Amino acid sequence: FIHLTLIRQEVVSLCSDIIVAILFFASLVHSGVNWYSQSNHVQYEGFSFLDTIYSIVIPSRISRLVDLAINTSAFSKTVALPAATRHALVCGHIELDSIRQFLHEFFNADHGPNIFKTTIVILHTDEPTLEMKSLLRDPMYANRVFYVKG
């Protein structure tokens, strides 16, 4: 069993719809060419079943995929930590300056070398600000500090 995120599930579903449409179209073309070659009628430029697939199924899948992409936060996630990992959870009223000061003090070399093996998880109800994202991308904190919206 493969676990896929909602966005990946929608992408897989969209791709499978496109493949089915292509295969159906190929079978129609094959049948149509066969039939047309046996008769000399004028080609009909009407609305086909394939047009229905393109106009109903695929746009609705794309719409659902776009909605998921827009409404899914990169910070709405779970953080899987190994059982033996030391970690700290930070939550409450979180501001950039207080987090910056906390991380600077927490990861101070005076606390010993094992402190750098500790993972910090910041839990907050809102999306991080641009400044907070910038702080989290700092090489000092990139693999040690995680922000979770929840």
Side-chain angles (χ1 to χ4, degrees):
F1 181 76
I2 299 173
H3 178 70
L4 297 174
T5 62
L6 288 176
I7 292 176
R8 288 188 179 149
Q9 288 174 7
E10 287 298 318
V11 168
V12 168
S13 180
L14 175 65
C15 290
S16 69
D17 287 345
I18 291 172
I19 289 170
V20 167
I22 290 170
L23 290 174
F24 181 75
F25 179 71
S27 68
L28 281 179
V29 168
H30 179 71
S31 299
V33 168
N34 224 0
W35 174 79
Y36 191 74
S37 66
Q38 294 176 4
S39 65
N40 291 327
H41 296 128
V42 177
Q43 185 177 2
Y44 176 67
E45 297 285 339
F47 193 76
S48 70
F49 183 70
L50 186 63
D51 295 331
T52 304
I53 290 174
Y54 284 142
S55 64
I56 295 173
V57 176
I58 293 177
S60 69
R61 295 285 188 176
I62 291 173
S63 174
R64 285 183 14 200
L65 182 62
V66 169
D67 287 343
L68 274 175
I70 290 171
N71 295 326
T72 302
S73 169
F75 298 97
S76 295
K77 61 183 175 185
T78 59
V79 178
L81 302 173
T85 303
R86 293 173 14 155
H87 59 277
L89 177 66
V90 179
C91 56
H93 185 71
I94 296 175
E95 292 182 353
L96 180 66
D97 291 334
S98 61
I99 289 294
R100 183 179 286 128
Q101 186 176 2
F102 169 77
L103 293 176
H104 179 73
E105 178 60 34
F106 189 89
F107 289 114
N108 193 322
D110 294 344
H111 296 165
N114 285 337
I115 199 67
F116 295 103
K117 297 177 184 174
T118 305
T119 301
I120 302 291
V121 178
I122 301 170
L123 180 62
H124 199 267
T125 56
D126 299 329
E127 290 283 325
T129 62
L130 291 175
E131 294 85 7
M132 180 69 76
K133 290 178 186 178
S134 176
L135 176 66
L136 296 173
R137 283 191 293 265
D138 185 312
M140 174 71 177
Y141 308 126
N143 295 321
R144 297 184 183 114
V145 181
F146 298 95
Y147 189 103
V148 177
K149 179 184 169 193

